[in-house]
Amino acid sequence: MRASRLHIVTLREDPADAEIASHRLLLRAGFMYKSGAGLYVYGPLLQRVIDAIRRIVAEEISAAGGLEITMPILQEQSLWERSGRWAAYQATRTMLTTTDRGGTTFGLAPTAEEVVTDYARAQVSSHKQLPVCYFQQHTKFRDEIRPRFGLMRVKEFIMMDAYSFHADEECLVDYYQTMKAAYHRIFQRCGLESYAVEADSGAIGGTGSHEFMVAADVGEDAILFGEDSGYAANVETARTHLAPAPSWSAPQALALVDTPNAGSIEAVVTYLQTQGYADVHPAHLCKMVLLMADSDAQPVSVAVAIRGDRQINEVKVLNALTRALGADAPVIAALRPMQEAEVRQASGARPGFAGPLAGLQVDVLLVDEQLPLDAPLICGANSDDQHQLGVIWQRDVTLPYHRADVLLAEDGDPDPNGKGILRQRRGIEVGHIFQLGTKYSSALGAQFNGADGKLHTMTMGCYGIGTSRLAAAAIEQYHDERGMRWPLAIAPYHCVVVPAKGRDAACVETAEQLMQDLRAAGVDAILDDRDCGPGVKFKDWELIGIPLTVVCGRGLADGLVEVKHRHDGRSEDVPLDTVVEQLAQEVRAATALA
Ligand code: ATP
Ligand code: MG
């Protein structure tokens, strides 16, 4: 392979709108070209990286029992209606759609549960065929609100999606562990440091979902870690166990007090402290967060009661709300704060004075698990400029409510397992595994004949890896001011051979021979035969991030070449007659099946 035929086009300047390293470097090094918002042409170098990742992913998922298939990108609306997800994806506008000449409407695959479940239904009839796992690495489409960060969040990307089918829950839980181990091996083989964290598993709840994260400051996900317990969870789902608020000088009976203009937690606390309640703390307040859930039907009004010193977690609220609304719930597109008029209607007061006592009118009242029901609280009185003191929920509140964990856990909070505290770091989600249960199989009638001779519904798991996002995550993890630093296993080439004296026939000939010998020994080498100075060449290869550079230069007179390691900047003189074996060994060690 010759660099002169690779059309290497590198930019000296950083592209204007690229905010993060991977975005910047992929454009600068000519790995990709922006074809539209959230749409990229993968150039030949990026293609090689993607191919390397795909190979590793396919090997490991196959080793875990996966069968590779290809499913259509065009998915009929009628199929998605059978699972009930057409409406949900329309409501959130996540799915791109198209219509054919006959008027049939399709969604462009954002994921493939419906298609694969329908396939499994047709393929599997007996328990003897289970478990089975199908996977593909194919293009996915999502109408992201904000495509950004280059390959990280695009409208069209490559995903490995796998779906497993089981005779029972136990088999699924078992297989889930197998897949989790396969994921660890995949990221390890790609040279990445990744970790699994508990993830939001929607309204179903439970611990049946993990995300795989690559640590990076630019990551869009916040992760909370238990420093001492090994607990790790996406902030969307992370739990904590707060110390109870200390007791305060609450009145024995309910006391209605004027709190002029005190419409915020801080204002109420400050005001009450001047009124003889010196020991009042924000944790003694019951904060009422008033929300509207816009849906495909009537909007749903929601009040969330939470300790005054804490924030709600919107993902948890949405899940709790969906559970509270039950089976016939409308599809909720989004939660938003109530507008002033809506607050007046729900509480009879202007914003800042809502509470759980008489006067509150909402469709659903959610109460955070850590708001005490047996300790005195300070609540809005549902009238302007007034609060109720000494409210004991279980004694005073008559409205129906749903108790749920809706609290946003934060850096420094106690570990939910009672050991130490939680610390927050940021991560890039590269994969997600999920115990689905029977949601899709029951909707689409995926049944099998059991050993007992009766019909049963298949139990499912699903597993995704953002193949293209993984390439960007690798750059975030490995780059410096000069460019990318690819791990050997997923680098576009393992090695570049640079004849330092490009016009010296003997030097060029040696380099050419070396490139061929390296390739024969399993080192994916390229010869930089371009007609430019060595300085330009080195700069380009540093930017492109090829792990190994072999320079054929002055040392040749003594039978030596220079080997440079991009990863740690190390450089050494190596005898020409052993360099092939040395590099082949390095490549074998880094790319061997772990
Ligand atoms: P995110 O929270 O980042 O939007 P998701 O929860 O929507 O991700 P999944 O539906 O679990 O993602 O998809 C599986 C994998 O596909 C993700 O772990 C991620 O690596 C990748 N992925 C998801 N959306 C995109 C996107 N818009 N661009 C690139 N990769 C994506
Ligand atoms: Mg998403």
Side-chain angles (χ1 to χ4, degrees), residues 494-569:
H494 295 143
C495 176
V496 54
V497 182
V498 181
K501 294 182 278 180
R503 302 238 158 86
D504 175 332
C507 175
V508 171
E509 202 175 306
T510 308
E512 163 95 43
Q513 188 61 48
L514 194 52
M515 181 267 287
Q516 280 176 15
D517 292 349
L518 284 165
R519 296 190 71 80
V523 178
D524 190 6
I526 181 169
L527 174 73
D528 193 349
D529 60 340
R530 291 177 302 163
D531 188 18
C532 56
V536 173
K537 292 184 181 179
F538 294 142
K539 240 191 153 118
D540 276 351
W541 295 114
E542 278 180 343
L543 176 62
I544 291 169
I546 301 303
L548 300 164
T549 303
V550 180
V551 190
C552 298
R554 226 174 285 136
L556 278 183
D558 305 316
L560 294 172
V561 288
E562 186 193 358
V563 174
K564 298 206 269 187
H565 291 81
R566 179 71 180 94
H567 193 68
D568 53 10

Side-chain angles (χ1 to χ4, degrees), residues 168-474:
D168 54 38
E169 182 78 24
E170 199 187 334
C171 178
L172 165 65
V173 171
D174 230 42
Y175 194 67
Y176 186 80
Q177 294 308 329
T178 304
M179 284 299 253
K180 205 169 163 199
Y183 268 52
H184 277 300
R185 284 168 58 88
I186 287 168
F187 300 125
Q188 199 184 355
R189 282 186 60 189
C190 288
L192 293 176
E193 276 170 46
S194 73
Y195 47 87
V197 307
E198 284 179 22
D200 172 45
S201 43
I204 309 164
T207 53
S209 173
H210 288 87
E211 285 164 348
F212 284 76
M213 295 286 169
V214 168
D217 290 342
V218 299
E220 290 184 280
D221 287 273
I223 313 300
L224 286 168
F225 291 88
E227 290 188 317
D228 304 316
S229 71
Y231 177 77
N234 193 312
V235 73
E236 290 178 352
T237 194
R239 291 166 286 122
T240 181
H241 195 76
L242 302 177
S247 60
W248 61 288
S249 52
Q252 288 302 312
L254 277 183
L256 183 66
V257 297
D258 288 338
T259 48
N261 290 323
S264 69
I265 302 292
E266 297 69 39
V268 175
V269 170
T270 312
Y271 180 75
L272 289 177
Q273 283 175 345
T274 65
Q275 300 295 306
Y277 297 99
D279 53 2
V280 160
H281 181 271
H284 300 127
L285 270 76
C286 164
K287 173 153 67 178
M288 273 291 179
V289 185
L290 299 177
L291 303 167
M292 292 302 280
D294 289 325
S295 74
D296 52 354
Q298 276 287 92
V300 179
S301 59
V302 187
V304 188
I306 189 163
R307 240 170 73 161
D309 59 338
R310 305 302 306 218
Q311 308 293 327
I312 59 160
N313 175 327
E314 278 205 21
V315 175
K316 290 183 181 179
V317 169
L318 193 58
N319 290 337
L321 177 63
T322 307
R323 282 196 302 274
L325 290 171
D328 304 323
V331 177
I332 294 164
L335 287 170
R336 61 170 174 84
M338 280 190 192
Q339 290 163 2
E340 188 162 340
E342 291 165 332
V343 171
R344 278 203 176 278
Q345 189 164 19
S347 70
R350 62 191 163 89
F353 300 93
L357 297 176
L360 184 70
Q361 281 189 323
V362 287
D363 297 320
V364 178
L365 172 57
L366 298 172
V367 183
D368 182 61
E369 273 171 12
Q370 303 201 57
L371 183 79
L373 302 186
D374 56 358
L377 296 166
I378 298 159
C379 301
N382 298 324
S383 64
D384 287 355
D385 297 321
Q386 288 194 309
H387 277 78
Q388 293 274 10
L389 270 51
V391 176
I392 296 190
W393 194 290
Q394 61 194 22
R395 181 190 69 192
D396 303 321
V397 178
T398 53
L399 287 174
Y401 62 88
H402 299 265
R403 194 107 152 118
D405 172 18
V406 291
L407 185 130
L408 183 71
E410 291 168 16
D411 186 77
D413 275 348
D415 186 294
N417 302 305
K419 294 183 204 150
I421 57 166
L422 296 173
R423 281 285 166 225
Q424 183 168 310
R425 277 179 243 158
R426 301 205 73 82
I428 299 166
E429 179 196 325
V430 287
H432 195 170
I433 58 178
F434 202 99
Q435 296 178 26
L436 280 174
T438 55
K439 178 175 164 156
Y440 299 95
S441 43
S442 30
L444 290 149
Q447 293 181 320
F448 65 97
N449 282 304
D452 58 4
K454 293 185 186 144
L455 270 184
H456 297 271
T457 300
M458 297 178 209
T459 301
M460 287 176 63
C462 72
Y463 318 85
I465 290 180
T467 311
S468 47
R469 183 184 285 183
L470 187 57

